[in-house]
Amino acid sequence: MADRRNRCNQVLLLAYQSFGLVFGDLSISPLYVYKCTFYGGLRHHQTEDTIFGAFSLIFWTITLLSLVKYMVFVLSADDNGEGGIFALYALLCRHARFSLLPNQQAADEEISTYYGSGDATRNLPSSAFKSLIERNKRSKTALLILVLVGTSMVITIGVLTPAISVSSSIDGLVAKTSLNHSTVVMIACALLVGLFVLQHRGTNKVAFLFAPIMILWLLSIATVGVYNIVTWNPSVYKALSPYYIYVFFRDTGVDGWLSLGGILLCITGTEAIFAELGQFTATSIRFAFCCFVYPCLVLQYMGQAAFLSKNFSALPTSFYDSIPDPFFWPVLMMAMLAAMVASQAVIFATFSIVKQCYALGCFPRVKIVHKPRWVLGQIYIPEINWVVMILTLTVTIFFQDTRHIAFAFGLACMTLAFVTTWLMPLIINFVWNRNIVFSVLFILFFGTIELVFFASALAKIPKGGWITLLLSLFFTCITYVWHYGSRKKYLCDQHNKVPMKSILSLGPSLGIIKVPGMGLIYTELASGVPATFTHFLTNLPAFYQVVVFVCCKTVPIPYVPQKERYLIGRIGPKTYRMYRCIIRAGYKDVNKDGDDFEDELVMSIAEFIQLESEGYGGSNTDRSIDGRLAVVKASNKFGTRLSRSISEANIAGSSRSQTTVTNSKSPVLLRLRAEYEQELPRLSMRRMFQFRPMDTKFRQPQVKEELFDLVNAKDAEVAYIVGHGHVKAKRNSVFVKRLVVNVAYSFLRKNCRSPAVMLNIPHICLIKVGMNYYL
């Protein structure tokens, strides 16, 4: 009984919190739905039956597409509790071989969260349709492009939502005051600038206000709706019957069909419910929507219909005209606050989708900021923030008329919903393992309804919808070009990787001079030795005594448990002191500032050495070429192999009390290094920690010797070697490929963040190796 009570309390708490982040966009739709519906030819059909038919369409659209489609079906297609377009794609990539990510490994499937609840169905035989898609590269590419189109629509919605929300919320000033429209647009722009400028400060200090604001807003519009029903036309309840939809189209004809571009605005923001699923639970969202949001919206739309059935002249400003005069200013203030909350949630969703795109290799490198004091999962991307702000202000100033922005907004939302509808049958068939008949029924029922709305939205392209096509095409090209170039570059790396036989033939010294220290060579390859390594040795035949090939890769799951992130292995015999470290992360994992990567890496390698000595990999490890990889818990608190202590001498140049290796640098270089590191306090603090093997008896004496070598190398020097590539298409390539690689992809590479910045590598420890890639 106590557990049941706790679960209920948790559901209620999450449902309360969801109002501030999930339902904002959907809840402010009543500001502009009727105004955009009765636009164009429908203005000439000012009858009660037409008003009732419009409300009936709104009611059944919310019921079928928001309530039934999303609450019943789509919310069940979660990826370990996460939602959104990439969650659907990740599920498909894991349960079928649809992924185009090039560095997948069989070991990734052993992650505890890889299959989740679908683990019991992973060994079922593949269907003929599934096998056809898996074998056909064009089908997988088409699926990726479909997902990227949906992703581009999310970013486009991030541009349009603040513009339509803030502009619509203050439109009431035109109707009730003497301010002209241009002045109201300037006020909207000022609010938008303030909204984007404050993004870098996070929302932790004001996030607790989001839920109360949205709850008060929904209560306010529901109360106004009930007042209008009672005051103007109590018989409006009859419009709940779908018969009025028939009457609507019978009387309005083509004008009625064109008005669907305004009707569909009542479900804008529904996709955000699924995208923000990871912050809450499906049960809490369903409870909040069904018990509060849905009734409030229905009452508000019904109330507006009752008001308009007796006041046809108020159609252009129906929402604010339907508010009783004593409550106008409080509702106006609530509308502005609700618009800001809704815009904040959509901007956060834009950052999140861009981060997921980047993690899965579909977006140029951007700076991702996450601070521990922020709300869980909140991130900030400066480049995206300013680009979205400029585009939002441009749209607001250029269009001015909120109806044109709303038509563009509706087209983006309907396209995104249409993409989800096409992905869901694949989920039903390949992930849920239901009969293909259920997939066909889903696409026929919901796809047909949305196709009608989508066709009507396309008719609004000349009236503002063209901006959606332009923005989505722009973002789709960026994402696909980056994915194409990155994948081709990876295949080039894989083709040019160094044969291990040539490495083994060089002996333990690799035919070079070995100096004290540890070299971390970053590579995208999960196996083999990258050409970057030999390219470095060709130009400078000296390297560090310990070599670690580091591969940071993204696995198509939202989060990788901390204890399963590090895969450690050995390259060549033990005497080579060459290791491989694969760091796995999910597409929603965020690297926290302050993570001490060097310490975690040393501890993980030490743990691997001990595991190997205890029998992991057998006696053949010394003769292996590219040894087996072990999952090693990444933690700086092992306490069984190494102990960590604070150095008695600081980084400025004093002798290290616990290291047996003397630094070969001259006193001048040491002094210069100390002066530079005084400007990098975090690096200095990291280097103040030292390791030493604990007084543990090992069955194999060489284990302790290897641990000493590892510790001494880390204390002497840690250098990061990163490839700096120049990418060009081959001369005999077709024109389109040369245009994509030489112009588009090269431009994106030159104007995005460098790999060193994304990997948080200290500048003083960085070594760049130039590479030429001919794709």
Side-chain angles (χ1 to χ4, degrees):
M1 181 65 71
D3 291 341
R4 184 177 180 181
R5 187 183 299 111
N6 290 335
R7 287 196 298 270
C8 291
N9 291 336
Q10 185 178 14
V11 169
L12 291 175
L13 177 61
L14 290 175
Y16 167 77
Q17 294 174 343
S18 68
F19 286 103
L21 289 177
V22 173
F23 301 109
D25 199 5
L26 182 65
S27 300
I28 60 174
S29 299
L31 290 171
Y32 44 79
V33 168
Y34 280 106
K35 178 173 67 174
C36 295
T37 300
F38 287 88
Y39 180 79
L42 200 63
R43 290 177 297 181
H44 306 301
H45 300 272
Q46 297 184 359
T47 64
E48 183 176 282
D49 285 346
T50 304
I51 300 294
F52 281 14
F55 166 67
S56 187
L57 275 169
I58 292 171
F59 171 74
W60 286 105
T61 300
I62 295 178
T63 302
L64 293 177
L65 298 185
S66 295
L67 182 62
V68 178
K69 176 189 169 184
Y70 278 89
M71 295 300 118
V72 177
F73 293 102
V74 178
L75 284 184
S76 300
D78 66 290
D79 182 8
N80 291 288
E82 296 292 332
I85 193 111
F86 267 111
L88 299 179
Y89 183 63
L91 281 172
L92 292 173
C93 290
R94 299 206 306 273
H95 290 80
R97 300 183 183 277
F98 294 164
S99 177
L100 289 173
L101 290 176
N103 55 358
Q104 297 180 86
Q105 296 173 282
D108 297 338
E109 300 183 16
E110 303 303 322
I111 298 175
S112 58
T113 56
Y114 195 86
Y115 285 102
S117 60
D119 187 54
T121 63
R122 57 188 291 187
N123 295 321
L124 291 178
S126 298
S127 64
F129 179 50
K130 178 179 176 182
S131 300
L132 176 65
I133 298 179
E134 290 179 338
R135 292 194 306 266
N136 192 332
K137 182 181 176 182
R138 291 184 177 179
S139 299
K140 293 190 283 188
T141 302
L143 179 63
L144 176 65
I145 293 176
L146 180 67
V147 172
L148 294 181
V149 169
T151 301
S152 301
M153 289 300 169
V154 174
I155 303 175
T156 303
I157 292 171
V159 172
L160 297 175
T161 298
I164 181 64
S165 302
V166 175
S167 299
S168 297
S169 67
I170 61 177
D171 265 353
L173 294 175
V174 177
K176 297 291 184 178
T177 67
S178 58
L179 293 176
N180 58 41
H181 191 72
S182 300
T183 304
V184 173
V185 170
M186 291 300 103
I187 294 174
C189 290
L191 292 175
L192 290 171
V193 170
L195 176 68
F196 284 99
V197 167
L198 294 177
Q199 288 298 313
H200 75 282
R201 302 185 63 86
T203 60
N204 60 308
K205 293 184 179 180
V206 295
F208 71 95
L209 294 174
F210 289 174
I213 288 172
M214 296 311 304
I215 290 174
L216 288 174
W217 165 250
L218 287 167
L219 286 174
S220 300
I221 61 176
T223 303
V224 171
V226 172
Y227 170 82
N228 286 326
I229 293 171
V230 174
T231 303
W232 295 104
N233 195 344
S235 63
V236 71
Y237 74 91
K238 297 178 181 178
L240 295 174
S241 170
Y243 169 76
Y244 280 91
I245 297 178
Y246 163 74
V247 174
F248 177 83
F249 286 114
R250 184 196 64 189
D251 295 343
T252 60
V254 176
D255 292 332
W257 174 74
L258 292 174
S259 71
L260 293 179
I263 296 290
L264 65 86
L265 294 171
C266 69
I267 58 170
T268 55
T270 305
E271 186 68 28
I273 298 175
F274 179 50
E276 300 296 336
L277 177 62
Q279 303 281 343
F280 311 98
T281 63
T283 303
S284 62
I285 290 178
R286 286 176 177 134
F287 178 82
F289 181 83
C290 298
C291 297
F292 194 81
V293 178
Y294 178 72
C296 289
L297 290 176
V298 170
L299 288 173
Q300 165 55 210
Y301 287 120
M302 186 184 294
Q304 275 199 65
F307 174 79
L308 290 174
S309 65
K310 304 299 182 182
N311 300 275
F312 297 111
S313 61
L315 282 171
T317 55
S318 60
F319 177 81
Y320 283 109
D321 284 347
S322 67
I323 299 173
D325 290 338
F327 301 102
F328 172 79
W329 289 106
V331 172
L332 176 66
M333 294 303 298
M334 290 301 304
M336 294 173 63
L337 291 174
M340 299 294 281
V341 171
S343 300
Q344 173 65 45
V346 171
I347 293 170
F348 168 72
T350 304
F351 293 157
S352 181
I353 198 70
V354 169
K355 193 269 173 191
Q356 294 172 44
C357 275
Y358 162 72
L360 293 175
C362 298
F363 205 87
R365 293 180 293 268
V366 290
K367 182 180 180 180
I368 299 173
V369 179
H370 171 80
K371 297 181 180 179
R373 61 182 176 82
W374 284 3
V375 177
L376 180 64
Q378 183 183 2
I379 59 174
Y380 170 67
I381 304 178
E383 296 94 329
I384 300 301
N385 185 66
W386 305 126
V387 169
V388 171
M389 184 189 77
I390 293 172
L391 292 176
T392 300
L393 292 175
T394 303
V395 169
T396 304
I397 296 172
F398 180 79
F399 284 109
Q400 304 228 348
D401 189 347
T402 53
R403 285 175 293 195
H404 290 171
I405 305 176
F407 292 143
F409 182 46
L411 178 59
C413 291
M414 186 49 61
T415 305
L416 179 58
F418 206 46
V419 170
T420 302
T421 301
W422 279 98
L423 291 176
M424 278 301 298
L426 301 179
I427 297 291
I428 293 171
N429 187 229
F430 301 147
V431 180
W432 296 349
N433 288 282
R434 302 295 184 186
N435 193 289
I436 196 171
V437 173
F438 293 100
S439 299
V440 173
L441 290 176
F442 183 92
I443 194 69
L444 284 178
F445 182 75
F446 294 109
T448 302
I449 296 174
E450 292 178 350
L451 184 61
V452 175
F453 281 104
F454 183 68
S456 179
L458 290 177
K460 302 296 184 182
I461 290 178
K463 296 181 175 64
W466 60 269
I467 192 65
T468 294
L469 298 182
L470 184 64
L471 291 175
S472 60
L473 180 62
F474 174 70
F475 290 121
T476 301
C477 290
I478 288 178
T479 53
Y480 184 73
V481 165
W482 185 263
H483 177 270
Y484 176 82
S486 299
R487 188 169 183 272
K488 289 294 184 180
K489 180 176 173 293
Y490 175 86
L491 295 176
C492 186
D493 271 335
Q494 194 174 44
H495 177 73
N496 294 323
K497 65 183 180 182
V498 183
M500 282 304 303
K501 290 184 179 180
S502 62
I503 295 291
L504 295 175
S505 65
L506 299 175
S509 67
L510 301 179
I512 59 175
I513 300 172
K514 287 206 169 184
V515 297
M518 177 184 294
L520 307 182
I521 303 174
Y522 280 85
T523 174
E524 295 180 4
L525 297 176
S527 62
V529 176
T532 308
F533 182 53
T534 55
H535 191 66
F536 180 92
L537 299 183
T538 301
N539 292 275
L540 182 63
F543 209 75
Y544 296 98
Q545 65 188 90
V546 174
V547 180
V548 184
F549 294 96
V550 181
C551 173
C552 300
K553 57 178 288 188
T554 300
V555 184
I557 55 178
Y559 302 100
V560 175
Q562 185 68 24
K563 63 181 180 180
E564 300 179 66
R565 287 195 175 186
Y566 279 59
L567 272 178
I568 305 293
R570 186 188 298 280
I571 297 179
K574 293 181 180 180
T575 54
Y576 279 52
R577 301 293 190 260
M578 296 174 66
Y579 308 95
R580 182 181 307 284
C581 174
I582 299 176
I583 307 171
R584 303 178 292 185
Y587 57 83
K588 296 203 73 172
D589 275 318
V590 178
N591 294 326
K592 298 179 181 178
D593 293 338
D595 282 353
D596 205 330
F597 169 69
E598 291 179 11
D599 291 352
E600 288 186 353
L601 180 63
V602 171
M603 283 292 192
S604 300
I605 296 175
E607 187 76 3
F608 167 77
I609 293 171
Q610 180 66 16
L611 287 173
E612 188 183 49
S613 69
E614 293 173 354
Y616 178 85
S619 59
N620 293 328
T621 306
D622 269 352
R623 295 190 293 272
S624 67
I625 293 179
D626 200 346
R628 293 175 58 188
L629 297 170
V631 178
V632 177
K633 182 179 179 182
S635 173
N636 56 8
K637 297 181 179 179
F638 283 122
T640 58
R641 321 300 175 202
L642 302 177
S643 63
R644 189 174 81 161
S645 60
I646 298 179
S647 174
E648 297 177 2
N650 61 22
I651 194 67
S654 300
S655 61
R656 302 173 186 256
S657 61
Q658 296 178 1
T659 183
T660 60
V661 178
T662 58
N663 201 313
S664 59
K665 294 184 183 293
S666 68
V668 176
L669 289 178
L670 288 174
R671 179 175 56 80
L672 292 174
R673 178 186 178 90
E675 292 176 355
Y676 185 87
E677 289 182 348
Q678 286 177 357
E679 302 176 5
L680 301 172
R682 185 182 60 179
L683 177 64
S684 300
M685 286 299 298
R686 178 167 58 206
R687 293 296 175 81
M688 287 176 66
F689 288 103
Q690 290 186 322
F691 294 87
R692 62 178 177 180
M694 298 185 68
D695 295 329
T696 305
K697 293 183 179 180
F698 299 95
R699 289 187 297 178
Q700 300 177 17
Q702 62 268 28
V703 173
K704 193 164 188 177
E705 178 185 352
E706 189 171 2
L707 290 176
F708 266 113
D709 289 345
L710 179 66
V711 170
N712 293 336
K714 195 268 180 185
D715 287 340
E717 183 71 34
V718 178
Y720 298 77
I721 294 88
V722 178
H724 183 68
H726 181 65
V727 180
K728 291 191 68 176
K730 296 178 181 178
R731 292 184 177 180
N732 58 349
S733 300
V734 297
F735 172 76
V736 175
K737 183 177 180 180
R738 283 186 280 119
L739 179 66
V740 169
V741 174
N742 295 347
V743 179
Y745 182 66
S746 295
F747 176 81
L748 293 175
R749 278 178 58 86
K750 291 176 183 178
N751 292 277
C752 69
R753 300 275 181 171
S754 69
V757 173
M758 299 305 301
L759 297 169
N760 200 24
I761 296 175
H763 182 71
I764 193 173
C765 304
L766 175 64
I767 300 175
K768 291 185 178 181
V769 180
M771 296 289 294
N772 290 323
Y773 293 91
Y774 293 95
L775 308 182

